[in-house]
Amino acid sequence: MEQYGVILAFFIFGLVFVVANLTIASILSKKIKSQQKFELYECGEVAEGDAWIRFNNRFYLIALVFLVFDVEVVMIYPWAVALNEMIAEGNGVFAFWAMSVFVVILILGLAYDWIKGGLEWVKPNLLQLDYLKKDA
Amino acid sequence: MDIATQNLIFSVLKVALVIKVLLLGVTMVILAERRFSAFMQDRLGPNRTFYGGLGQSFADGIKLILKEDVIPTHVDKLTYMIAPIVMMTPALMTGAVIPFGPTIPIAGISLPFIGENLTPLVLQVADINVGLLYFVAIASIGVYGIVMGGWAQNNKYSLLGALRASAQMVSYELPMGLALVTVVLMSGSLSMNEIVAHQQETFWYVLNFPAFMIFLITIFAETNRLPFDLAECEQELVAGYHTEYSSMKFGMFLLAEYGNIITSSALVVTLFFGGWDIPFVDESALGLFGVILSMSVFGLKTSIFIFIFIWVRWSLPRFRYDQLMNVSWKGILPLSILTVVGTAVIMVLLKNFYH
């Protein structure tokens, strides 16, 4: 556990450096107030409306697929650590097949998502455009 | 002096040393990037400030500190202030588990101020047994900084940049995780020290070339570098997720980017190029000179990868976003699953692989 204490110390050192820098900057920097400066920058035009809007739900889809797969990848780690010992004990083939079942399920999940179009970034009706058709 | 006090002293020294090296390294990498890019574009680059431009980054830092800190009125203040901190702190913290030299056998030797040493000195800030998982976990906190920063600014460009960055980093984290699984398979350990030791005994893991290539591609994506810098592509999104930041807050995003480059390069070297190992040389026979030599070799290897980062950035054009997603989900992800299965098959077939 002592090593995690060192990591905590590292975290505190880093945080102190960052916060100290930001504080020093905000004290030393000069402040000249003018209304235009506090507007948002959108190519020099006056900004219209908020940016806090609903956005494309493909981003949610990607996040969801990621979550499922990431959990499965994390499940592989303990097996990966143990495989060497299993081989040394003569159980290598068993360990391999045990994990293959899991990996096959993972591949099936990926294949399902692929066939269903969950991995397509471009909307299907846009694929009619010539320049997208080529490398889709 | 007892063991606890000694460990405390050495730990504090190591923490200070690593943070110092990282921050100095960042300034040097920024300068190197500007000079190399200049040479690649047939320019000279910054070469006036202090002996051939060596002071340029420090001058820029002072300039950034003195610049006005503008906080636009429409932003979400709290998130806006926190985002640079969330971005920069993990970029520093990932350096904690990288072993940068062999263990120094100083047990039993008396040193000034400390007295007789009781333990050998491990040249790694925190020698934890799940170092690899720690690195992956901390490195992915950076994405929160990008999303918080991009969302808080209430700027359409920033929001788009943040969304793109998060989707991209999330997509490339899976192949990265799987490429790391192959490393764990070969070494049978999650501890960085043991991974390096195992590479010393057997072979450098770069011989598992597909895993190395997958890992290299994914860390380019994870650090938001060209050809994957969709999050801040200047031609489309002004500056992406840090459009509205100024002064040192912007500086923190900049430092975090280069800090990530340094730690990622160090990670590649540790996992695939034997860390501080010198091929065909027995470092432990050389004593203290061997330690210094190993540390220099580690620095050299890391520098080579930092140079590759810069080289790639100024050589390749950027992906289109749907291409980026296709490369990840339809190309690298199936390939990385295949690599893991292939590595396991080879290991099971060569039963005497490990012992």
Side-chain angles (χ1 to χ4, degrees), chain B residues 83-294:
Chain B
I85 304 173
V86 177
M87 187 81 185
M88 182 61 193
T89 317
L92 284 177
M93 276 181 74
T94 42
V97 288
I98 305 280
F100 50 90
T103 305
I104 308 179
I106 51 170
I109 301 170
S110 55
L111 288 178
F113 306 116
I114 296 171
E116 189 179 330
N117 268 295
L118 301 171
T119 47
L121 179 59
V122 182
L123 285 182
Q124 182 186 22
V125 174
D127 185 15
I128 53 176
N129 54 2
V130 287
L132 201 58
L133 284 183
Y134 168 87
F135 193 100
V136 177
I138 298 295
S140 48
I141 290 179
V143 77
Y144 286 100
I146 293 181
V147 172
M148 285 165 76
W151 179 83
Q153 292 163 49
N154 198 359
N155 180 325
K156 282 127 198 159
Y157 295 115
S158 309
L159 181 76
L160 274 176
L163 283 177
R164 284 180 177 190
S166 55
Q168 167 190 335
M169 286 168 91
V170 143
S171 306
Y172 280 85
E173 211 161 287
L174 287 176
M176 182 166 96
L178 285 166
L180 292 179
V181 166
T182 58
V183 172
V184 179
L185 271 176
M186 289 185 281
S187 67
S189 170
L190 288 167
S191 150
M192 296 282 196
N193 258 334
E194 280 176 37
I195 289 173
V196 172
H198 188 254
Q199 289 183 78
Q200 236 178 342
E201 288 163 22
T202 53
F203 56 89
W204 288 5
Y205 294 159
V206 68
L207 285 184
N208 190 341
F209 199 66
F212 165 66
M213 281 313 290
I214 289 166
F215 188 71
L216 195 64
I217 293 170
T218 52
I219 60 166
F220 274 108
E222 291 285 313
T223 47
N224 281 321
R225 295 281 291 182
L226 265 166
F228 300 103
D229 77 333
L230 275 291
E232 47 182 310
C233 44
E234 291 85 359
Q235 292 85 349
E236 297 168 32
L237 299 179
V238 190
Y241 58 86
H242 51 65
T243 304
E244 297 287 347
Y245 280 100
S246 56
S247 182
M248 209 52 207
K249 291 200 185 71
F250 166 74
M252 283 300 154
F253 280 104
L254 195 73
L255 287 184
E257 185 188 339
Y258 286 94
N260 278 332
I261 289 174
I262 295 177
T263 47
S264 305
S265 309
L267 186 71
V268 175
V269 169
T270 310
L271 295 184
F272 290 97
F273 283 85
W276 40 263
D277 177 37
I278 313 169
F280 313 117
V281 175
D282 185 16
E283 299 93 347
S284 54
L286 293 172
L288 196 60
F289 176 68
V291 173
I292 294 168
L293 197 65
S294 306

Side-chain angles (χ1 to χ4, degrees), chain A residues 8-23, chain B residues 19 82 84-90 92-93 252:
Chain A
L8 184 68
F10 204 96
F11 172 67
I12 292 169
F13 266 68
L15 200 64
V16 165
F17 165 78
V18 175
V19 173
N21 245 320
L22 289 175
T23 319
Chain B
I19 289 188
I82 292 174
I85 304 173
V86 177
M87 187 81 185
M88 182 61 193
T89 317
L92 284 177
M93 276 181 74
M252 283 300 154

